[in-house]
């Protein structure tokens, strides 16, 4: 009997896949010498696909997966997965919500503090022996007492707000609607929130609905003393406008974990003295990645056994 195929599109824990070896031939997309040839020859055998929210279903194989039944997304975001296409084909989609939220919120605060207190520059100042040769490091801005604006008060946004509040900050947010029972100040638009805030943290989902939600007007409203933190998706911020505002001094600083064309980062952002950068690692802790992988596998096992999916998207 021909065994069904589980196609693993993005990097994934090999250890976590062990329980699925009983049910599938597991194929690693990145190990295929000719992915298009594989899809043409074996695409009809693929029943489950593991991917993430940035890659989705690779275009070369999408139409060849005639019997694809489940797309298991290793991450909370699924903006690269065409849910309309999946629904039309009867393909279920799962993700990994909640398990990574706290780590992402932690990292948002780490980026904010690093930008306000210029931690990377201070680190270099010591390593390059400038402290001994040039004297004291320049004064930086305090974080406590600042106005923190959160774009998207979902699971992650709420955790960011709780952490920021511990620094005696004022909290404001914007979203599709004002939330009941939330004491934080609500602003109907990102522009209004940016005009109020000292720090704007982007924590909204990616996708077409939020593309360039933060653009030139919002960045200019945040102002020459303002700080932008993005731990959401690079697509949410207009990167060209961000570069212009940093270079012109219309924006104070940006701390970025995500970019528009990862892993490519524009030289203007990489060389800027006003940026703090990280390679999309907000959820990348050992513990969380283990839990995420386990949830992906558990969803696949539920599907195989005809049980309710744990974290369905559609």
């Amino acid at each position: 009997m021909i065994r069904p195929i589980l196609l693993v599109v993005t990097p994934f824990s090999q250890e976590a896949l062990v329980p699925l070896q009983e049910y599938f031939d597991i194929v690693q997309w990145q190990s295929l010498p000719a992915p298009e040839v594989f899809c043409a020859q074996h695409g009809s055998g693929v029943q489950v696909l593991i991917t993430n929210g940035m890659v989705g279903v690779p275009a070369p194989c999408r139409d060849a997966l005639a019997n694809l039944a489940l797309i298991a997304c290793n991450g909370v975001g699924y903006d690269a997965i065409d849910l309309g296409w999946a629904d039309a084909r009867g393909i279920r989609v799962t993700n990994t919500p909640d398990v990574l939220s706290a780590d992402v919120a932690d990292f948002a605060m780490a980026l904010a503090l690093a930008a306000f207190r210029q931690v990377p520059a201070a680190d270099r100042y010591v390593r390059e022996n400038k402290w001994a040769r040039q004297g004291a490091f320049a004064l930086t801005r305090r974080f406590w007492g600042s106005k923190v604006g959160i774009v998207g008060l979902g699971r992650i946004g709420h955790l960011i707000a709780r952490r920021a509040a511990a620094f005696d900050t004022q909290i404001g947010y914007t979203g599709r609607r004002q939330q009941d029972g939330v004491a934080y100040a609500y602003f109907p638009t990102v522009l209004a929130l940016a005009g109020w805030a000292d720090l704007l943290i982007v924590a909204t989902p990616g996708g077409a609905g939020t593309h360039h939600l933060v653009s030139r007007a919002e960045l200019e409203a945040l102002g020459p003393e303002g700080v932008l933190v993005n731990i959401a998706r690079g697509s949410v911020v207009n990167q060209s406008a961000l570069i212009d505002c940093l270079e012109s001094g219309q924006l104070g600083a940006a701390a970025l974990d995500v970019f528009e064309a990862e892993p490519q980062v524009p030289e203007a952002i990489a060389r800027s003295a006003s940026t703090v950068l990280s390679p999309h690692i907000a959820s990348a802790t050992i513990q969380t990645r283990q839990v995420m992988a386990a949830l992906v596998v558990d969803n696949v096992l539920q599907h195989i056994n005809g049980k309710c999916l744990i974290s369905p998207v559609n």
Side-chain angles (χ1 to χ4, degrees):
M1 180 180 296
I2 299 176
R3 282 159 55 86
I5 296 171
L6 187 156
L7 183 59
V8 183
V9 174
T10 51
F12 193 79
S13 166
Q14 297 303 300
E15 182 180 356
L17 289 170
V18 170
L20 300 178
Q21 293 174 352
E22 176 183 350
Y23 305 95
F24 298 97
D25 286 335
I26 298 175
V27 176
Q28 302 287 340
W29 175 265
Q30 294 178 326
S31 299
L32 293 171
E36 294 183 11
V37 173
F38 170 84
C39 290
Q41 295 178 347
H42 306 288
S44 62
V46 176
Q47 293 188 12
V48 174
L49 184 145
I50 293 177
T51 186
N52 64 30
M54 289 79 72
V55 175
V57 182
C61 71
R62 197 169 91 154
D63 294 333
L65 306 180
N67 295 304
L68 181 63
L70 178 69
I71 300 171
C73 179
N74 186 30
V76 63
Y78 47 86
D79 35 298
I81 299 171
D82 186 341
L83 290 183
W85 171 80
D87 288 340
R89 294 275 302 273
I91 300 169
R92 299 301 305 276
V93 179
T94 63
N95 67 342
T96 60
D98 297 324
V99 296
L100 53 75
S101 299
D103 277 340
V104 176
D106 283 354
F107 203 72
M109 299 310 301
L111 288 175
L113 289 166
F116 270 72
R117 299 304 304 271
Q118 298 183 25
V119 174
D123 177 86
R124 291 192 300 271
Y125 199 80
V126 175
R127 294 177 188 277
E128 294 168 4
N129 201 34
K130 291 182 179 179
W131 189 14
R133 291 187 287 105
Q134 300 180 17
F137 187 70
L139 297 178
T140 61
R141 293 182 62 205
R142 71 184 185 194
F143 178 65
W144 71 267
S146 60
K147 297 175 181 176
V148 178
I150 302 171
V151 181
L153 199 68
R155 296 181 182 93
I156 294 171
H158 272 285
L159 291 174
I160 290 172
R162 284 172 50 190
R163 284 154 172 75
F167 288 86
D168 296 325
T169 61
Q170 299 178 56
I171 309 295
Y173 74 99
T174 189
R176 285 189 290 267
R177 60 176 179 81
Q178 185 171 4
Q179 297 186 20
D180 296 334
V182 172
Y184 310 130
Y186 174 73
F187 294 81
T189 65
V190 179
L191 183 61
L193 179 65
W196 169 84
D198 301 309
L199 165 65
L200 193 69
I201 301 179
V202 183
T204 190
T210 58
H211 184 260
H212 286 184
L213 183 66
V214 179
S215 197
R216 185 179 303 275
E218 289 76 18
L219 296 170
E220 290 179 354
L222 191 53
E225 298 297 323
V227 175
L228 174 77
V229 168
N230 190 3
I231 44 78
R233 287 286 189 266
S235 61
V236 181
V237 176
N238 184 324
Q239 195 164 264
S240 295
L242 175 62
I243 291 170
D244 289 345
C245 288
L246 287 170
E247 290 182 339
S248 66
Q250 291 173 297
L251 177 68
L256 310 170
D257 186 50
V258 290
F259 306 87
E260 281 202 308
E262 296 175 6
Q264 304 304 317
V265 177
E267 183 181 352
I269 289 179
R271 71 166 185 260
S272 174
S274 301
T275 57
V276 176
L277 310 177
S278 56
H280 203 147
I281 57 171
S283 68
T285 65
I286 294 169
Q287 298 93 329
T288 286
R289 288 299 169 88
Q290 289 174 340
V291 176
M292 287 170 63
L295 181 52
V296 168
V297 170
D298 286 345
N299 270 309
V300 175
L301 290 171
Q302 291 290 101
H303 166 74
I304 293 169
N305 293 310
K307 298 180 179 179
C308 292
L309 298 175
I310 299 168
S311 51
V313 170
N314 62 348

